Amino acid sequence: MDKTWNNRAWFLVLPVLVLVAFSAVIPLMTVVNYSVQDTFGKNVFFWNGIDWYQELLASDRFWASMMRNLIFSGIILAIEVPLGILIALNMPRKGWGVPVCLVLMALPLLIPWNVVGTIWQVFGRNDIGLLGYYAHAIGLDYNYVQDPFDAWVTVIIMDVWHWTSLVVLLCYAGLVSIPDAFYQAAKIDGASRWAVFRYIQLPKMQRVLLIAILLRFMDSFMIYTEPFVVTGGGPGNSTTFLSIDLVKMALGEFNLGQAAAMSLVYFLIILLLSWAFYTVMTNYDTER
Amino acid sequence: MARIELDKIRHSYLANPSRDSDFALRQVSHVFEDGGAYALLGPSGCGKTTLLNIISGLLRPSHGRLLFDSHEVTGLSTQERNIAQVFQFPVIYDTMTVYDNLAFPLRNRGVAPADVDRRVRETLDMIGLADWATRKARGLTADQKQKISLGRGLVRSDVNAILFDEPLTVIDPHMKWVLRSQLKQLHHRFGYTMVYVTHDQTEALTFADQVVVMYDGGIVQIGTPADLFERPRHTFVGYFIGSPGMNVLPVAVTDATARLGSQTIQLPGAPKAASGQVELGIRPEYVRVGREGMAVTVTKVEDVGRHKVVRASLEGREIAAIIGEDDTIPAEPHMRFDPAGINIYSDSWRVEMSGRVEVGDTA
């Protein structure tokens, strides 16, 4: 078949290409540049090969941060997804309660990360914080500044408070799209509450749920601001996640090479996991 | 299977209905006989789905009683009534196989696995999906899905009735015909009590032994398809059934003659008690076009294939007539009404005419 090829249309892509080059590709390449060089100051760099990468992958510090990240994301998903579904299932479908619930659910999502961090930092303090003060008053030994377990509990509850709404809203959107006839048919078929959830509601929520899990996983894996504001990564290194560790390394220790190597590894991990999710989701689509 | 009796059922979706117009269903008393095939026919919003949901128990009527085989079931849940219902859009359980979809209502009721298997296999044969048993239900076509919805009702051998709520809306035209005849077959072979809601007159007339025509929250006529065509009890039935609908012309009646403007029409008999607003109804099939009768002005001729529809103006009123595909309209067209097709209405309700033998009028 004779097709008229006209490649001039590519010029229309040019502005975006330039923009992306300046905002993403060029900065990324400087990071790549740093990751394979070393310096003794005076802005003089020399080739260092893959030494930074070898050093990084051999360091306990990196794997410890990585483990903390994975555990954190795991806990977050294990709490937020079931909790989000549960709340969405119990939200009203009709009447005045709908806008009220939606606004209440959207509120935490509207608060900037560092403000959320500050709120909880103050909230948990033993001297002036509502939570910390009363936890002490009823005899709980709660102190997120000194106790790693308490610090984790605080960071996790904060994240659940901040982000469960997202899962709720996505699930709710899936739920309201189910026509009444499905519930009526289920009644006629004598289905139990569990069967209705398992065979009607869950399948209808499946797609939005996948998106919710993907978003929550990526967000929690990249978490930085909130724990940084509340605990600063402490006590010790107990809440030092990859991103916090990275900033410490790059800006605190000015270890540019290793930080660059870590950025790239971190980037590749997120890229890989996002690709995996994307594949799962598109496979699911073609299966339909 | 059961005989379903509606005893003065009224329903309103409002909390405190006071006026007649607050009721979606004004007052319905009717008996669906055991093993009958009924169609509820009416325009959107006439209350037919409301009535169906009251029978199935998805809605509880605000007034009146519902009886299955003389047992009151008004307060019973859908499950206790043991009703099957097929909805407008196919309801299937996406993640299950066709087999599991059919087994679902039985498993929910705790039927023994061996019986479940036997019933499901029988039902698969009945609805012609035996080869699809192990397939996931989500990939099927709309008509297959609708068959599964039906199958989930048929699989319970003890259902009291099968209700259909416009089940063919999303089905392709050629499959509609196939499904409808399969439904009729099932009805003949197994004698289910079936109630079928539709706003499509062809569906209603071909499916049902008895058609219940509803209008504005009430039943206006119950009868065989022939009754509805020949003797519409209400002008609405005349309009709604038939294509084009019945011609309704305001007339003045004295004895056995009706006057329409300057025209005189001979009636087959003298109407009894024709008071209020009197109208003459005649189907286009009974209007003859020729050189004799009342002078008309033809405005349009529509060729619809098997016949032609003549639109004309008679004494300033629009009137439709059906003529044969090869018939021609004379230069000075006139129309004549076949007395057999004339009905007289008083305030929209049909009045009997003395001297005329009524046949098949069950209403």
Side-chain angles (χ1 to χ4, degrees):
Chain A
M1 211 166 66
D2 282 333
K3 253 187 185 170
T4 316
W5 291 95
N6 188 338
N7 285 323
R8 273 177 297 180
W10 285 108
F11 284 109
L12 297 176
V13 187
L14 205 63
V16 177
L17 207 66
V18 172
L19 206 71
V20 171
F22 272 93
S23 67
V25 181
I26 295 173
L28 183 69
M29 290 322 290
T30 56
V31 175
V32 173
N33 203 24
Y34 280 130
S35 74
V36 289
Q37 298 189 57
D38 199 358
T39 180
F40 293 115
K42 293 186 180 157
N43 225 8
V44 180
F45 287 88
F46 54 88
W47 177 254
N48 195 28
I50 57 166
D51 278 7
W52 287 128
Y53 291 93
Q54 283 173 331
E55 201 172 309
L56 178 80
L57 295 177
S59 78
D60 291 342
R61 175 179 165 179
F62 173 74
W63 290 111
S65 300
M66 174 77 105
M67 275 317 287
R68 282 192 282 269
N69 250 40
L70 287 172
I71 292 169
F72 180 72
S73 288
I75 293 175
I76 288 301
L77 288 178
I79 295 176
E80 289 182 8
V81 171
L83 186 66
I85 293 173
L86 197 71
I87 294 173
L89 285 175
N90 288 299
M91 265 169 67
R93 304 286 152 74
K94 291 191 189 86
W96 58 269
V98 176
V100 173
C101 284
L102 287 180
V103 168
L104 279 178
M105 283 296 140
L107 272 180
L109 299 176
L110 297 173
I111 303 173
W113 288 258
N114 55 348
V115 176
V116 172
T118 312
I119 290 172
W120 282 84
Q121 203 259 349
V122 175
F123 192 47
R125 276 171 67 165
N126 287 335
D127 48 354
I128 56 168
L130 210 55
L131 173 71
Y133 183 83
Y134 284 104
H136 256 261
I138 61 168
L140 283 177
D141 183 21
Y142 169 80
N143 186 343
Y144 68 81
V145 184
Q146 281 162 13
D147 187 316
F149 181 77
D150 291 353
W152 268 79
V153 169
T154 310
V155 172
I156 285 168
I157 292 179
M158 176 173 63
D159 198 86
V160 168
W161 177 83
H162 194 184
W163 288 110
T164 305
S165 300
L166 182 76
V167 183
V168 173
L169 292 178
L170 284 168
C171 289
Y172 185 71
L175 281 176
V176 293
S177 71
I178 303 175
D180 277 348
F182 278 80
Y183 296 113
Q184 296 177 337
K187 258 192 208 171
I188 287 167
D189 290 337
S192 61
R193 184 71 196 79
W194 165 251
V196 169
F197 173 71
R198 171 70 187 76
Y199 297 112
I200 298 176
Q201 292 172 323
L202 197 59
K204 292 281 171 194
M205 279 194 292
Q206 203 166 342
R207 300 202 57 193
V208 281
L209 211 53
L210 268 171
I211 295 169
I213 292 171
L214 175 63
L215 286 176
R216 283 315 302 134
F217 174 77
M218 294 200 318
D219 263 359
S220 62
F221 203 73
M222 297 191 293
I223 187 139
Y224 174 74
T225 317
E226 297 123 301
F228 182 75
V229 173
V230 177
T231 64
N237 276 333
S238 62
T239 57
T240 299
F241 300 111
L242 279 174
S243 56
I244 296 177
D245 203 17
L246 180 62
V247 173
K248 268 187 197 167
M249 196 183 282
L251 302 181
E253 302 158 19
F254 223 72
N255 194 347
L256 288 184
Q258 195 163 9
M262 186 169 166
S263 302
L264 286 173
V265 171
Y266 195 10
F267 170 66
L268 285 177
I269 291 169
I270 289 182
L271 199 66
L272 187 78
L273 290 168
S274 301
W275 174 80
F277 267 107
Y278 178 79
T279 314
V280 169
M281 285 197 311
T282 44
N283 273 356
Y284 173 77
D285 265 359
T286 48
E287 196 188 302
R288 268 188 90 91
Chain B
M1 291 297 127
R3 177 177 179 272
I4 299 169
E5 190 176 345
L6 310 170
D7 182 21
K8 300 197 187 72
I9 297 268
R10 282 153 72 82
H11 186 74
S12 173
Y13 290 100
L14 305 177
N16 297 304
S18 50
R19 287 164 300 136
D20 238 15
S21 59
D22 291 343
F23 284 89
L25 211 56
R26 293 191 178 181
Q27 174 140 336
V28 174
S29 294
H30 179 59
V31 176
F32 294 104
E33 292 297 342
D34 189 358
Y38 295 88
L40 293 180
L41 179 66
S44 302
C46 71
K48 51 194 185 337
T49 299
T50 305
L51 184 57
L52 200 71
N53 287 343
I54 285 173
I55 298 175
S56 64
L58 295 171
L59 265 182
R60 203 199 153 113
S62 2
H63 304 86
R65 300 186 310 149
L66 184 74
L67 300 105
F68 285 2
D69 285 335
S70 321
H71 298 295
E72 173 149 7
V73 296
T74 323
L76 296 187
S77 72
T78 304
Q79 214 180 327
E80 291 163 314
R81 289 185 196 191
N82 214 359
I83 283 276
Q85 187 164 354
V86 179
F87 296 89
Q88 189 168 4
F89 295 100
V91 174
I92 52 149
Y93 304 106
D94 271 352
T95 50
M96 296 187 200
T97 61
V98 173
Y99 183 97
D100 289 337
N101 257 277
L102 295 186
F104 189 60
L106 297 179
R107 288 176 180 157
N108 285 333
R109 286 173 171 77
V111 175
D115 290 337
V116 171
D117 189 64
R118 187 177 51 80
R119 288 294 309 159
V120 169
R121 294 199 182 284
E122 278 172 24
T123 310
L124 280 169
D125 283 334
M126 273 158 79
I127 58 175
L129 287 178
D131 299 340
W132 298 75
T134 55
R135 291 279 294 269
K136 274 261 194 286
R138 74 159 61 105
L140 304 186
T141 58
D143 54 287
Q144 288 170 323
K145 286 181 180 175
Q146 205 57 303
K147 280 186 186 171
I148 294 176
S149 306
L150 171 65
R152 282 206 315 273
L154 299 175
V155 79
R156 285 147 51 201
S157 49
D158 58 341
V159 283
N160 281 318
I162 304 176
L163 311 178
F164 299 87
D165 189 359
E166 308 195 20
L168 302 182
T169 310
V170 295
I171 311 295
D172 288 342
H174 70 284
M175 279 312 294
K176 274 187 189 182
W177 190 84
V178 175
L179 276 184
R180 215 158 52 211
S181 32
Q182 288 180 347
L183 272 184
K184 280 213 87 157
Q185 271 181 5
L186 286 176
H187 179 248
H188 282 303
R189 272 179 58 199
F190 302 101
Y192 297 109
T193 309
M194 290 182 168
V195 181
Y196 189 110
V197 162
T198 178
H199 59 243
D200 182 330
Q201 47 167 312
T202 328
E203 259 176 58
L205 299 177
T206 52
F207 170 80
D209 311 331
Q210 291 269 301
V211 179
V212 179
V213 183
M214 294 189 63
Y215 174 58
D216 203 14
I219 292 178
V220 286
Q221 185 166 7
I222 301 164
T224 61
D227 288 339
L228 301 180
F229 190 80
E230 304 283 347
R231 311 258 179 278
R233 258 191 79 209
H234 189 274
T235 47
F236 169 77
V237 181
Y239 288 130
F240 195 70
I241 291 172
S243 170
M246 190 169 69
N247 298 299
V248 178
L249 308 158
V251 291
V253 172
T254 35
D255 293 332
T257 48
R259 297 188 63 80
L260 170 65
S262 60
Q263 310 287 349
T264 309
I265 301 156
Q266 192 61 43
L267 302 181
K272 296 168 190 166
S275 58
Q277 198 201 350
V278 181
E279 286 161 311
L280 180 150
I282 183 150
R283 292 211 173 268
E285 286 81 355
Y286 289 102
V287 180
R288 309 279 174 252
V289 182
R291 290 178 212 286
E292 289 160 25
M294 299 168 285
V296 294
T297 330
V298 172
T299 48
K300 198 160 71 175
V301 179
E302 297 159 16
D303 194 332
V304 293
R306 281 168 305 159
H307 56 246
K308 289 187 219 170
V309 178
V310 180
R311 307 266 181 195
S313 161
L314 167 67
E315 295 287 322
R317 299 277 164 179
E318 280 199 17
I319 188 159
I322 289 180
I323 59 171
E325 179 65 11
D326 303 322
D327 295 354
T328 52
I329 301 162
E332 280 178 15
H334 287 69
M335 281 183 179
R336 216 162 40 75
F337 294 166
D338 184 340
I342 292 177
N343 289 292
I344 294 294
Y345 296 89
S346 163
D347 287 331
S348 301
W349 292 95
R350 182 167 181 271
V351 288
E352 307 276 305
M353 281 179 275
S354 61
R356 169 152 136 185
V357 186
E358 300 286 350
V359 275
D361 198 340
T362 55

